[in-house]
Amino acid sequence: VGDYTLPINQSVCVDSKFSIQELVSDICGKQHERFRNECIRAQEAGISLIILTENVGGKVGRGEIYNPTITKLEELHRWKNPRLFIFERGRQKYPNATRGITLQKACITMKAKYGVEFLFTTPMKSAEMIVSIILSILYSVFPCVSFCFQEYYITKRLSFQVLDEKEGASLP
């Protein structure tokens, strides 16, 4: 279940989606049954399943419509499916494409039925969010790890800053 978890504690799993369109496919499309079964398996195993969906705002279709960056489930109704803006011979090619409000309602239903959590992020912050979620599990299992990691991080960060000042290097 999911793409990321800890081998020593699989109580939380993160399933990443590269776009809202992939989320549509899993929840409202041909992959629904497989996705629902995954949610049921997670629930039966006592696993908290987190669906982390990457998205960035931008122009949709011919550029007249703007899609906002979705940051939480409560905003999903604002998403505009790009398929709704594909026209062929002057007619909408996919008039029944899933709309943001429909997807939002389906996600809320999945959350209520199966305990699935839906989070949204940008591709640039995705890895950081996954690591943060996984580390929070690790910290809950081994509280001493939190202290050791913080000590290590502070020590390394300070040494990077010293290097930065000495060598004029730029670190992320």
Side-chain angles (χ1 to χ4, degrees), residues 16-60:
S16 60
K17 305 294 173 198
F18 70 90
S19 70
I20 294 177
Q21 201 65 50
E22 182 183 0
L23 185 64
V24 167
S25 177
D26 283 350
I27 293 183
C28 301
K30 294 178 182 178
Q31 299 296 317
H32 176 74
E33 187 176 346
R34 179 200 54 79
F35 182 76
R36 182 181 46 98
N37 290 339
E38 182 179 339
C39 294
I40 291 169
R41 277 195 310 277
Q43 186 179 43
E44 289 173 349
I47 295 170
S48 295
L49 182 60
I50 298 170
I51 307 301
L52 180 63
T53 305
E54 296 178 0
N55 76 99
V56 290
K59 295 189 181 213
V60 177

Side-chain angles (χ1 to χ4, degrees), residues 5-146:
T5 191
L6 282 176
I8 58 170
N9 182 342
Q10 297 179 4
S11 63
V12 177
C13 292
V14 179
D15 191 1
S16 60
K17 305 294 173 198
F18 70 90
S19 70
I20 294 177
Q21 201 65 50
E22 182 183 0
L23 185 64
V24 167
S25 177
D26 283 350
I27 293 183
C28 301
K30 294 178 182 178
Q31 299 296 317
H32 176 74
E33 187 176 346
R34 179 200 54 79
F35 182 76
R36 182 181 46 98
N37 290 339
E38 182 179 339
C39 294
I40 291 169
R41 277 195 310 277
Q43 186 179 43
E44 289 173 349
I47 295 170
S48 295
L49 182 60
I50 298 170
I51 307 301
L52 180 63
T53 305
E54 296 178 0
N55 76 99
V56 290
K59 295 189 181 213
V60 177
R62 296 182 183 148
E64 301 98 23
I65 308 295
Y66 183 79
N67 237 344
T69 300
I70 305 301
T71 60
K72 55 188 172 184
L73 183 55
E74 294 78 17
E75 297 174 345
L76 195 52
H77 67 278
R78 296 172 47 211
W79 177 74
K80 297 165 192 76
N81 192 331
R83 293 174 64 105
L84 291 168
F85 301 94
I86 298 173
F87 290 85
E88 197 171 79
R89 296 186 188 121
R91 299 184 74 179
Q92 211 176 11
K93 189 171 181 179
Y94 305 102
N96 297 323
T98 303
R99 290 168 171 27
I101 188 70
T102 305
L103 181 59
Q104 181 185 38
K105 288 177 181 177
C107 288
I108 290 169
T109 300
M110 298 290 276
K111 183 177 180 174
K113 274 188 170 180
Y114 309 113
V116 179
E117 196 66 39
F118 292 92
L119 301 178
F120 297 85
T121 188
T122 62
M124 293 295 291
K125 294 183 180 177
S126 184
E128 183 181 332
M129 277 189 80
I130 292 166
V131 169
S132 175
I133 292 165
I134 299 300
L135 283 177
S136 69
I137 304 163
L138 187 61
Y139 296 164
S140 69
V141 176
F142 300 107
C144 68
V145 171
S146 175

